[in-house]
Amino acid sequence: MPKHVDADARRRHVVDALFRVVVREGLQRTSLRAVADEARLNIGSLRHYFASQQDLMRFAMQSMLDRTESRLLEHVERIGDLGGHPRPEQLQLVAGFLAELLPLDEHRRAEVTVFLDFNTAARTNPAFGDLSRQAAEGTRKLARRALTRLDAAGTLRPGLDIDIETERLTALLDGLSLRAVLHPEILNPRACGEVLLTHLGDLSLSVGTPDSAH
């Protein structure tokens, strides 16, 4: 009797192998053969699931976006109502939420590395443009969601322009990700987290402000 193969599990296995190859070698030097070798599959088996390197890369990028979204939704559920927490704790919770996009551990570093290489490729390859835009819009929506939740909890300083602050926070997240992947000896995970938390603190009311103290 033929051995049953879980196609979804096999695809996830291949994507994990792809991530490892891209982290080591870079996207431009990643081939179907290299991914097949990393996944310990023959090239024919790999082509059964992905007809080309482009198909594999699109699936990998979509998988990464789906995984990140799933983690973020779980994080939102854990946070609950920000208004029920003291202001310093609110900032810590939101910083932890946003940190899901930063390369603060091996798993997230691999995702961000693939993300950066993919977006570089998307600049000249229209086949990747839609996913690149989806990722960029996702980061912006996440930043806006974090700020609006803090604002609703009465934590942000009055008069802030949420549109402008969304762009500033998005740029900070992108910049931290890029610097931490390219130069981890300059910007380590701890420093990434501290910079993010400090930025959010700068947007908030000072502790002890009468009209928003908890």
Side-chain angles (χ1 to χ4, degrees), residues 94-129:
V94 170
F97 174 53
L98 294 170
E100 290 295 335
L101 300 180
L102 299 178
L104 303 188
D105 55 33
E106 183 177 351
H107 179 75
R108 282 176 287 182
R109 176 173 294 277
E111 287 186 340
V112 173
T113 300
V114 173
F115 172 79
L116 292 174
D117 273 14
F118 184 90
N119 278 284
T120 299
R123 187 181 68 82
T124 56
N125 188 338
F128 298 148

PDB file of all heavy atoms in Angstrom, residues 94-129:
ATOM      1  N   VAL A  94       2.002  46.394  24.878  1.00  0.00           N
ATOM      2  CA  VAL A  94       1.960  46.798  23.467  1.00  0.00           C
ATOM      3  C   VAL A  94       3.331  46.611  22.817  1.00  0.00           C
ATOM      4  O   VAL A  94       3.426  46.177  21.655  1.00  0.00           O
ATOM      5  CB  VAL A  94       1.480  48.256  23.334  1.00  0.00           C
ATOM      6  CG1 VAL A  94       1.667  48.756  21.903  1.00  0.00           C
ATOM      7  CG2 VAL A  94       0.015  48.365  23.738  1.00  0.00           C
ATOM      8  N   ALA A  95       4.398  46.900  23.547  1.00  0.00           N
ATOM      9  CA  ALA A  95       5.741  46.678  23.013  1.00  0.00           C
ATOM     10  C   ALA A  95       5.950  45.192  22.712  1.00  0.00           C
ATOM     11  O   ALA A  95       6.526  44.825  21.682  1.00  0.00           O
ATOM     12  CB  ALA A  95       6.796  47.177  23.996  1.00  0.00           C
ATOM     13  N   GLY A  96       5.464  44.325  23.600  1.00  0.00           N
ATOM     14  CA  GLY A  96       5.575  42.891  23.354  1.00  0.00           C
ATOM     15  C   GLY A  96       4.779  42.454  22.139  1.00  0.00           C
ATOM     16  O   GLY A  96       5.205  41.583  21.370  1.00  0.00           O
ATOM     17  N   PHE A  97       3.633  43.074  21.951  1.00  0.00           N
ATOM     18  CA  PHE A  97       2.793  42.802  20.781  1.00  0.00           C
ATOM     19  C   PHE A  97       3.519  43.161  19.491  1.00  0.00           C
ATOM     20  O   PHE A  97       3.652  42.351  18.571  1.00  0.00           O
ATOM     21  CB  PHE A  97       1.500  43.609  20.957  1.00  0.00           C
ATOM     22  CG  PHE A  97       0.561  43.585  19.786  1.00  0.00           C
ATOM     23  CD1 PHE A  97       0.142  42.396  19.233  1.00  0.00           C
ATOM     24  CD2 PHE A  97       0.055  44.773  19.265  1.00  0.00           C
ATOM     25  CE1 PHE A  97      -0.757  42.375  18.169  1.00  0.00           C
ATOM     26  CE2 PHE A  97      -0.832  44.770  18.212  1.00  0.00           C
ATOM     27  CZ  PHE A  97      -1.237  43.562  17.660  1.00  0.00           C
ATOM     28  N   LEU A  98       4.070  44.376  19.458  1.00  0.00           N
ATOM     29  CA  LEU A  98       4.781  44.835  18.257  1.00  0.00           C
ATOM     30  C   LEU A  98       6.080  44.066  18.036  1.00  0.00           C
ATOM     31  O   LEU A  98       6.536  43.907  16.896  1.00  0.00           O
ATOM     32  CB  LEU A  98       5.076  46.329  18.385  1.00  0.00           C
ATOM     33  CG  LEU A  98       3.854  47.252  18.387  1.00  0.00           C
ATOM     34  CD1 LEU A  98       4.271  48.674  18.770  1.00  0.00           C
ATOM     35  CD2 LEU A  98       3.167  47.245  17.032  1.00  0.00           C
ATOM     36  N   ALA A  99       6.679  43.586  19.110  1.00  0.00           N
ATOM     37  CA  ALA A  99       7.958  42.881  19.003  1.00  0.00           C
ATOM     38  C   ALA A  99       7.844  41.562  18.251  1.00  0.00           C
ATOM     39  O   ALA A  99       8.861  40.971  17.873  1.00  0.00           O
ATOM     40  CB  ALA A  99       8.541  42.637  20.394  1.00  0.00           C
ATOM     41  N   GLU A 100       6.617  41.104  18.007  1.00  0.00           N
ATOM     42  CA  GLU A 100       6.456  39.901  17.195  1.00  0.00           C
ATOM     43  C   GLU A 100       7.016  40.101  15.790  1.00  0.00           C
ATOM     44  O   GLU A 100       7.317  39.137  15.093  1.00  0.00           O
ATOM     45  CB  GLU A 100       4.973  39.507  17.111  1.00  0.00           C
ATOM     46  CG  GLU A 100       4.391  38.976  18.401  1.00  0.00           C
ATOM     47  CD  GLU A 100       5.028  37.669  18.839  1.00  0.00           C
ATOM     48  OE1 GLU A 100       5.558  36.935  17.989  1.00  0.00           O
ATOM     49  OE2 GLU A 100       4.999  37.385  20.053  1.00  0.00           O
ATOM     50  N   LEU A 101       7.168  41.351  15.378  1.00  0.00           N
ATOM     51  CA  LEU A 101       7.699  41.651  14.043  1.00  0.00           C
ATOM     52  C   LEU A 101       9.211  41.851  14.040  1.00  0.00           C
ATOM     53  O   LEU A 101       9.796  42.043  12.973  1.00  0.00           O
ATOM     54  CB  LEU A 101       7.041  42.920  13.480  1.00  0.00           C
ATOM     55  CG  LEU A 101       5.519  42.883  13.304  1.00  0.00           C
ATOM     56  CD1 LEU A 101       5.037  44.203  12.734  1.00  0.00           C
ATOM     57  CD2 LEU A 101       5.108  41.727  12.402  1.00  0.00           C
ATOM     58  N   LEU A 102       9.840  41.807  15.194  1.00  0.00           N
ATOM     59  CA  LEU A 102      11.270  42.080  15.297  1.00  0.00           C
ATOM     60  C   LEU A 102      12.075  40.790  15.451  1.00  0.00           C
ATOM     61  O   LEU A 102      11.578  39.813  16.025  1.00  0.00           O
ATOM     62  CB  LEU A 102      11.546  43.017  16.481  1.00  0.00           C
ATOM     63  CG  LEU A 102      10.888  44.395  16.414  1.00  0.00           C
ATOM     64  CD1 LEU A 102      11.207  45.182  17.683  1.00  0.00           C
ATOM     65  CD2 LEU A 102      11.355  45.161  15.181  1.00  0.00           C
ATOM     66  N   PRO A 103      13.322  40.779  14.985  1.00  0.00           N
ATOM     67  CA  PRO A 103      14.151  39.563  15.058  1.00  0.00           C
ATOM     68  C   PRO A 103      14.780  39.366  16.441  1.00  0.00           C
ATOM     69  O   PRO A 103      15.998  39.453  16.614  1.00  0.00           O
ATOM     70  CB  PRO A 103      15.219  39.834  13.991  1.00  0.00           C
ATOM     71  CG  PRO A 103      15.381  41.310  13.982  1.00  0.00           C
ATOM     72  CD  PRO A 103      13.995  41.859  14.241  1.00  0.00           C
ATOM     73  N   LEU A 104      13.935  39.077  17.435  1.00  0.00           N
ATOM     74  CA  LEU A 104      14.404  39.004  18.809  1.00  0.00           C
ATOM     75  C   LEU A 104      14.786  37.592  19.249  1.00  0.00           C
ATOM     76  O   LEU A 104      15.304  37.408  20.347  1.00  0.00           O
ATOM     77  CB  LEU A 104      13.336  39.562  19.759  1.00  0.00           C
ATOM     78  CG  LEU A 104      12.878  40.994  19.480  1.00  0.00           C
ATOM     79  CD1 LEU A 104      11.979  41.492  20.594  1.00  0.00           C
ATOM     80  CD2 LEU A 104      14.068  41.927  19.293  1.00  0.00           C
ATOM     81  N   ASP A 105      14.509  36.594  18.415  1.00  0.00           N
ATOM     82  CA  ASP A 105      14.954  35.226  18.698  1.00  0.00           C
ATOM     83  C   ASP A 105      15.250  34.553  17.360  1.00  0.00           C
ATOM     84  O   ASP A 105      15.060  35.148  16.291  1.00  0.00           O
ATOM     85  CB  ASP A 105      13.914  34.447  19.516  1.00  0.00           C
ATOM     86  CG  ASP A 105      12.533  34.434  18.870  1.00  0.00           C
ATOM     87  OD1 ASP A 105      12.457  34.436  17.624  1.00  0.00           O
ATOM     88  OD2 ASP A 105      11.532  34.438  19.599  1.00  0.00           O
ATOM     89  N   GLU A 106      15.716  33.323  17.423  1.00  0.00           N
ATOM     90  CA  GLU A 106      16.143  32.637  16.199  1.00  0.00           C
ATOM     91  C   GLU A 106      15.000  32.495  15.195  1.00  0.00           C
ATOM     92  O   GLU A 106      15.194  32.691  13.987  1.00  0.00           O
ATOM     93  CB  GLU A 106      16.704  31.260  16.566  1.00  0.00           C
ATOM     94  CG  GLU A 106      17.254  30.490  15.371  1.00  0.00           C
ATOM     95  CD  GLU A 106      17.870  29.156  15.765  1.00  0.00           C
ATOM     96  OE1 GLU A 106      18.027  28.911  16.983  1.00  0.00           O
ATOM     97  OE2 GLU A 106      18.191  28.362  14.862  1.00  0.00           O
ATOM     98  N   HIS A 107      13.820  32.157  15.690  1.00  0.00           N
ATOM     99  CA  HIS A 107      12.684  31.950  14.795  1.00  0.00           C
ATOM    100  C   HIS A 107      12.297  33.252  14.090  1.00  0.00           C
ATOM    101  O   HIS A 107      12.144  33.282  12.862  1.00  0.00           O
ATOM    102  CB  HIS A 107      11.492  31.418  15.599  1.00  0.00           C
ATOM    103  CG  HIS A 107      10.269  31.193  14.772  1.00  0.00           C
ATOM    104  ND1 HIS A 107      10.129  30.125  13.916  1.00  0.00           N
ATOM    105  CD2 HIS A 107       9.118  31.917  14.649  1.00  0.00           C
ATOM    106  CE1 HIS A 107       8.958  30.191  13.314  1.00  0.00           C
ATOM    107  NE2 HIS A 107       8.327  31.269  13.734  1.00  0.00           N
ATOM    108  N   ARG A 108      12.146  34.335  14.862  1.00  0.00           N
ATOM    109  CA  ARG A 108      11.757  35.609  14.259  1.00  0.00           C
ATOM    110  C   ARG A 108      12.888  36.185  13.401  1.00  0.00           C
ATOM    111  O   ARG A 108      12.624  36.856  12.400  1.00  0.00           O
ATOM    112  CB  ARG A 108      11.334  36.594  15.353  1.00  0.00           C
ATOM    113  CG  ARG A 108       9.935  36.340  15.881  1.00  0.00           C
ATOM    114  CD  ARG A 108       9.564  37.256  17.025  1.00  0.00           C
ATOM    115  NE  ARG A 108      10.276  36.889  18.253  1.00  0.00           N
ATOM    116  CZ  ARG A 108      10.107  37.505  19.413  1.00  0.00           C
ATOM    117  NH1 ARG A 108       9.272  38.532  19.505  1.00  0.00           N
ATOM    118  NH2 ARG A 108      10.764  37.104  20.491  1.00  0.00           N
ATOM    119  N   ARG A 109      14.139  35.908  13.778  1.00  0.00           N
ATOM    120  CA  ARG A 109      15.254  36.374  12.942  1.00  0.00           C
ATOM    121  C   ARG A 109      15.189  35.725  11.563  1.00  0.00           C
ATOM    122  O   ARG A 109      15.413  36.386  10.543  1.00  0.00           O
ATOM    123  CB  ARG A 109      16.589  36.058  13.615  1.00  0.00           C
ATOM    124  CG  ARG A 109      17.810  36.428  12.755  1.00  0.00           C
ATOM    125  CD  ARG A 109      19.094  36.253  13.533  1.00  0.00           C
ATOM    126  NE  ARG A 109      19.125  37.229  14.624  1.00  0.00           N
ATOM    127  CZ  ARG A 109      19.524  38.487  14.472  1.00  0.00           C
ATOM    128  NH1 ARG A 109      19.935  38.925  13.277  1.00  0.00           N
ATOM    129  NH2 ARG A 109      19.522  39.320  15.479  1.00  0.00           N
ATOM    130  N   ALA A 110      14.879  34.435  11.515  1.00  0.00           N
ATOM    131  CA  ALA A 110      14.757  33.748  10.232  1.00  0.00           C
ATOM    132  C   ALA A 110      13.634  34.355   9.408  1.00  0.00           C
ATOM    133  O   ALA A 110      13.781  34.601   8.202  1.00  0.00           O
ATOM    134  CB  ALA A 110      14.514  32.255  10.455  1.00  0.00           C
ATOM    135  N   GLU A 111      12.498  34.632  10.045  1.00  0.00           N
ATOM    136  CA  GLU A 111      11.369  35.217   9.321  1.00  0.00           C
ATOM    137  C   GLU A 111      11.720  36.593   8.766  1.00  0.00           C
ATOM    138  O   GLU A 111      11.423  36.886   7.599  1.00  0.00           O
ATOM    139  CB  GLU A 111      10.166  35.339  10.255  1.00  0.00           C
ATOM    140  CG  GLU A 111       9.492  34.026  10.573  1.00  0.00           C
ATOM    141  CD  GLU A 111       8.220  34.198  11.372  1.00  0.00           C
ATOM    142  OE1 GLU A 111       8.040  35.261  12.004  1.00  0.00           O
ATOM    143  OE2 GLU A 111       7.396  33.265  11.367  1.00  0.00           O
ATOM    144  N   VAL A 112      12.336  37.426   9.590  1.00  0.00           N
ATOM    145  CA  VAL A 112      12.662  38.778   9.138  1.00  0.00           C
ATOM    146  C   VAL A 112      13.708  38.728   8.031  1.00  0.00           C
ATOM    147  O   VAL A 112      13.657  39.506   7.070  1.00  0.00           O
ATOM    148  CB  VAL A 112      13.149  39.648  10.317  1.00  0.00           C
ATOM    149  CG1 VAL A 112      13.651  40.995   9.814  1.00  0.00           C
ATOM    150  CG2 VAL A 112      12.027  39.855  11.323  1.00  0.00           C
ATOM    151  N   THR A 113      14.670  37.818   8.129  1.00  0.00           N
ATOM    152  CA  THR A 113      15.690  37.686   7.089  1.00  0.00           C
ATOM    153  C   THR A 113      15.057  37.319   5.752  1.00  0.00           C
ATOM    154  O   THR A 113      15.366  37.916   4.705  1.00  0.00           O
ATOM    155  CB  THR A 113      16.723  36.623   7.482  1.00  0.00           C
ATOM    156  OG1 THR A 113      17.360  37.008   8.701  1.00  0.00           O
ATOM    157  CG2 THR A 113      17.782  36.466   6.396  1.00  0.00           C
ATOM    158  N   VAL A 114      14.158  36.337   5.774  1.00  0.00           N
ATOM    159  CA  VAL A 114      13.454  35.953   4.546  1.00  0.00           C
ATOM    160  C   VAL A 114      12.603  37.109   4.037  1.00  0.00           C
ATOM    161  O   VAL A 114      12.559  37.390   2.836  1.00  0.00           O
ATOM    162  CB  VAL A 114      12.582  34.703   4.795  1.00  0.00           C
ATOM    163  CG1 VAL A 114      11.712  34.400   3.577  1.00  0.00           C
ATOM    164  CG2 VAL A 114      13.453  33.499   5.120  1.00  0.00           C
ATOM    165  N   PHE A 115      11.946  37.789   4.958  1.00  0.00           N
ATOM    166  CA  PHE A 115      11.102  38.928   4.599  1.00  0.00           C
ATOM    167  C   PHE A 115      11.910  40.011   3.874  1.00  0.00           C
ATOM    168  O   PHE A 115      11.486  40.534   2.839  1.00  0.00           O
ATOM    169  CB  PHE A 115      10.467  39.499   5.867  1.00  0.00           C
ATOM    170  CG  PHE A 115       9.730  40.792   5.671  1.00  0.00           C
ATOM    171  CD1 PHE A 115       8.451  40.805   5.137  1.00  0.00           C
ATOM    172  CD2 PHE A 115      10.309  41.998   6.014  1.00  0.00           C
ATOM    173  CE1 PHE A 115       7.765  41.997   4.951  1.00  0.00           C
ATOM    174  CE2 PHE A 115       9.632  43.198   5.839  1.00  0.00           C
ATOM    175  CZ  PHE A 115       8.366  43.196   5.301  1.00  0.00           C
ATOM    176  N   LEU A 116      13.090  40.341   4.406  1.00  0.00           N
ATOM    177  CA  LEU A 116      13.917  41.378   3.794  1.00  0.00           C
ATOM    178  C   LEU A 116      14.405  40.957   2.417  1.00  0.00           C
ATOM    179  O   LEU A 116      14.377  41.746   1.460  1.00  0.00           O
ATOM    180  CB  LEU A 116      15.099  41.708   4.704  1.00  0.00           C
ATOM    181  CG  LEU A 116      14.756  42.396   6.036  1.00  0.00           C
ATOM    182  CD1 LEU A 116      16.005  42.539   6.896  1.00  0.00           C
ATOM    183  CD2 LEU A 116      14.120  43.759   5.790  1.00  0.00           C
ATOM    184  N   ASP A 117      14.863  39.706   2.293  1.00  0.00           N
ATOM    185  CA  ASP A 117      15.326  39.226   0.999  1.00  0.00           C
ATOM    186  C   ASP A 117      14.185  39.187  -0.016  1.00  0.00           C
ATOM    187  O   ASP A 117      14.353  39.524  -1.196  1.00  0.00           O
ATOM    188  CB  ASP A 117      15.927  37.823   1.141  1.00  0.00           C
ATOM    189  CG  ASP A 117      17.399  37.860   1.510  1.00  0.00           C
ATOM    190  OD1 ASP A 117      17.875  38.942   1.912  1.00  0.00           O
ATOM    191  OD2 ASP A 117      18.077  36.822   1.407  1.00  0.00           O
ATOM    192  N   PHE A 118      13.017  38.772   0.443  1.00  0.00           N
ATOM    193  CA  PHE A 118      11.855  38.693  -0.443  1.00  0.00           C
ATOM    194  C   PHE A 118      11.476  40.079  -0.957  1.00  0.00           C
ATOM    195  O   PHE A 118      11.188  40.257  -2.144  1.00  0.00           O
ATOM    196  CB  PHE A 118      10.689  38.068   0.308  1.00  0.00           C
ATOM    197  CG  PHE A 118       9.463  37.852  -0.542  1.00  0.00           C
ATOM    198  CD1 PHE A 118       9.271  36.672  -1.229  1.00  0.00           C
ATOM    199  CD2 PHE A 118       8.492  38.844  -0.658  1.00  0.00           C
ATOM    200  CE1 PHE A 118       8.142  36.472  -2.010  1.00  0.00           C
ATOM    201  CE2 PHE A 118       7.364  38.654  -1.435  1.00  0.00           C
ATOM    202  CZ  PHE A 118       7.192  37.457  -2.111  1.00  0.00           C
ATOM    203  N   ASN A 119      11.481  41.068  -0.071  1.00  0.00           N
ATOM    204  CA  ASN A 119      11.117  42.415  -0.487  1.00  0.00           C
ATOM    205  C   ASN A 119      12.150  43.032  -1.415  1.00  0.00           C
ATOM    206  O   ASN A 119      11.808  43.828  -2.288  1.00  0.00           O
ATOM    207  CB  ASN A 119      10.898  43.301   0.744  1.00  0.00           C
ATOM    208  CG  ASN A 119       9.523  43.130   1.333  1.00  0.00           C
ATOM    209  OD1 ASN A 119       8.537  43.638   0.811  1.00  0.00           O
ATOM    210  ND2 ASN A 119       9.440  42.368   2.413  1.00  0.00           N
ATOM    211  N   THR A 120      13.405  42.670  -1.240  1.00  0.00           N
ATOM    212  CA  THR A 120      14.436  43.115  -2.180  1.00  0.00           C
ATOM    213  C   THR A 120      14.157  42.547  -3.565  1.00  0.00           C
ATOM    214  O   THR A 120      14.252  43.251  -4.581  1.00  0.00           O
ATOM    215  CB  THR A 120      15.828  42.686  -1.697  1.00  0.00           C
ATOM    216  OG1 THR A 120      16.090  43.287  -0.422  1.00  0.00           O
ATOM    217  CG2 THR A 120      16.901  43.112  -2.688  1.00  0.00           C
ATOM    218  N   ALA A 121      13.790  41.252  -3.607  1.00  0.00           N
ATOM    219  CA  ALA A 121      13.460  40.624  -4.885  1.00  0.00           C
ATOM    220  C   ALA A 121      12.205  41.239  -5.493  1.00  0.00           C
ATOM    221  O   ALA A 121      12.110  41.406  -6.717  1.00  0.00           O
ATOM    222  CB  ALA A 121      13.272  39.123  -4.695  1.00  0.00           C
ATOM    223  N   ALA A 122      11.252  41.604  -4.655  1.00  0.00           N
ATOM    224  CA  ALA A 122       9.980  42.166  -5.145  1.00  0.00           C
ATOM    225  C   ALA A 122      10.173  43.509  -5.834  1.00  0.00           C
ATOM    226  O   ALA A 122       9.345  43.912  -6.658  1.00  0.00           O
ATOM    227  CB  ALA A 122       8.996  42.303  -3.987  1.00  0.00           C
ATOM    228  N   ARG A 123      11.257  44.196  -5.516  1.00  0.00           N
ATOM    229  CA  ARG A 123      11.499  45.503  -6.128  1.00  0.00           C
ATOM    230  C   ARG A 123      11.626  45.383  -7.644  1.00  0.00           C
ATOM    231  O   ARG A 123      11.223  46.291  -8.385  1.00  0.00           O
ATOM    232  CB  ARG A 123      12.773  46.131  -5.546  1.00  0.00           C
ATOM    233  CG  ARG A 123      13.008  47.568  -5.995  1.00  0.00           C
ATOM    234  CD  ARG A 123      14.297  48.110  -5.403  1.00  0.00           C
ATOM    235  NE  ARG A 123      15.464  47.451  -5.943  1.00  0.00           N
ATOM    236  CZ  ARG A 123      16.030  47.777  -7.121  1.00  0.00           C
ATOM    237  NH1 ARG A 123      15.518  48.744  -7.859  1.00  0.00           N
ATOM    238  NH2 ARG A 123      17.101  47.150  -7.546  1.00  0.00           N
ATOM    239  N   THR A 124      12.161  44.250  -8.118  1.00  0.00           N
ATOM    240  CA  THR A 124      12.364  44.080  -9.563  1.00  0.00           C
ATOM    241  C   THR A 124      11.565  42.917 -10.144  1.00  0.00           C
ATOM    242  O   THR A 124      11.615  42.694 -11.347  1.00  0.00           O
ATOM    243  CB  THR A 124      13.868  43.849  -9.863  1.00  0.00           C
ATOM    244  OG1 THR A 124      14.329  42.727  -9.106  1.00  0.00           O
ATOM    245  CG2 THR A 124      14.681  45.083  -9.500  1.00  0.00           C
ATOM    246  N   ASN A 125      10.844  42.180  -9.300  1.00  0.00           N
ATOM    247  CA  ASN A 125      10.062  41.040  -9.791  1.00  0.00           C
ATOM    248  C   ASN A 125       8.583  41.278  -9.487  1.00  0.00           C
ATOM    249  O   ASN A 125       8.146  41.125  -8.344  1.00  0.00           O
ATOM    250  CB  ASN A 125      10.534  39.748  -9.121  1.00  0.00           C
ATOM    251  CG  ASN A 125       9.887  38.514  -9.752  1.00  0.00           C
ATOM    252  OD1 ASN A 125       8.829  38.596 -10.373  1.00  0.00           O
ATOM    253  ND2 ASN A 125      10.517  37.365  -9.577  1.00  0.00           N
ATOM    254  N   PRO A 126       7.796  41.643 -10.497  1.00  0.00           N
ATOM    255  CA  PRO A 126       6.381  41.959 -10.282  1.00  0.00           C
ATOM    256  C   PRO A 126       5.585  40.784  -9.695  1.00  0.00           C
ATOM    257  O   PRO A 126       4.537  40.992  -9.084  1.00  0.00           O
ATOM    258  CB  PRO A 126       5.869  42.301 -11.689  1.00  0.00           C
ATOM    259  CG  PRO A 126       7.086  42.625 -12.485  1.00  0.00           C
ATOM    260  CD  PRO A 126       8.197  41.815 -11.905  1.00  0.00           C
ATOM    261  N   ALA A 127       6.080  39.568  -9.860  1.00  0.00           N
ATOM    262  CA  ALA A 127       5.360  38.397  -9.359  1.00  0.00           C
ATOM    263  C   ALA A 127       5.263  38.396  -7.843  1.00  0.00           C
ATOM    264  O   ALA A 127       4.400  37.720  -7.274  1.00  0.00           O
ATOM    265  CB  ALA A 127       6.042  37.117  -9.836  1.00  0.00           C
ATOM    266  N   PHE A 128       6.147  39.146  -7.177  1.00  0.00           N
ATOM    267  CA  PHE A 128       6.141  39.198  -5.721  1.00  0.00           C
ATOM    268  C   PHE A 128       5.536  40.487  -5.168  1.00  0.00           C
ATOM    269  O   PHE A 128       5.430  40.665  -3.966  1.00  0.00           O
ATOM    270  CB  PHE A 128       7.575  39.078  -5.185  1.00  0.00           C
ATOM    271  CG  PHE A 128       8.259  37.787  -5.540  1.00  0.00           C
ATOM    272  CD1 PHE A 128       9.631  37.749  -5.752  1.00  0.00           C
ATOM    273  CD2 PHE A 128       7.543  36.618  -5.668  1.00  0.00           C
ATOM    274  CE1 PHE A 128      10.271  36.566  -6.075  1.00  0.00           C
ATOM    275  CE2 PHE A 128       8.166  35.420  -5.991  1.00  0.00           C
ATOM    276  CZ  PHE A 128       9.534  35.395  -6.199  1.00  0.00           C
ATOM    277  N   GLY A 129       5.142  41.383  -6.061  1.00  0.00           N
ATOM    278  CA  GLY A 129       4.709  42.708  -5.633  1.00  0.00           C
ATOM    279  C   GLY A 129       3.501  42.702  -4.720  1.00  0.00           C
ATOM    280  O   GLY A 129       3.431  43.466  -3.754  1.00  0.00           O
TER     281      GLY A 129
END
